[in-house]
Amino acid sequence: QVQLVESGGGLVQPGGSLRLSCAASGSILRIGAMGWYCQAPGKQRELVAAITSGGSTNYADSVKGRFTISRDNAKNTVYLQMNSLKPEDTAVYYCNAMQYGMDYWGKGTLVTVSS
């Protein structure tokens, strides 16, 4: 079992920045891809960004050029640097990790972009 704990969410003004962190613990050997998903009220959960164990990345079109995903395999942690935040980025952000074909999820951290 893999446990994921997110941190770094909060309230930020439009144009501001936040950095989310997700620390993995438990049975962490051979964790594959990790990623961040978001879920806004009344909407489905959707991919924001993902990164493989080798460092290849993938981003939703809506965040390209504004968000950066990174990973520290030694610390079993994945990060999401969010810049130029917009009100439409407001959502609960969930960390995801894949291991042996199984998906693991954190409990989420709320990001609110508002003036």
Side-chain angles (χ1 to χ4, degrees):
Q1 291 268 341
V2 175
Q3 293 81 46
L4 302 172
V5 178
E6 303 100 333
S7 60
L11 173 64
V12 63
Q13 292 187 343
S17 298
L18 281 176
R19 188 192 195 206
L20 305 184
S21 299
C22 171
S25 62
S27 180
I28 58 176
L29 290 178
R30 300 187 183 277
I31 288 179
M34 299 184 74
W36 290 95
Y37 289 70
C38 69
Q39 187 167 17
K43 295 187 176 182
Q44 290 188 332
R45 192 174 299 186
E46 57 185 20
L47 175 69
V48 176
I51 185 167
T52 67
S53 56
S56 296
T57 58
N58 181 42
Y59 295 92
D61 287 343
S62 60
V63 306
K64 285 180 180 177
R66 298 190 298 124
F67 292 9
T68 302
I69 189 170
S70 60
R71 178 171 180 166
D72 186 334
N73 289 327
K75 295 182 178 180
N76 302 306
T77 300
V78 63
Y79 305 96
L80 186 68
Q81 178 66 43
M82 304 188 294
N83 298 328
S84 302
L85 281 160
K86 305 175 181 180
E88 51 263 43
D89 295 320
T90 295
V92 178
Y93 284 73
Y94 295 91
C95 179
N96 171 269
M98 295 189 67
Q99 185 191 55
Y100 301 125
M102 292 187 64
D103 273 310
Y104 295 92
W105 295 93
K107 293 183 178 181
T109 184
L110 177 62
V111 172
T112 303
V113 185
S114 175
S115 56

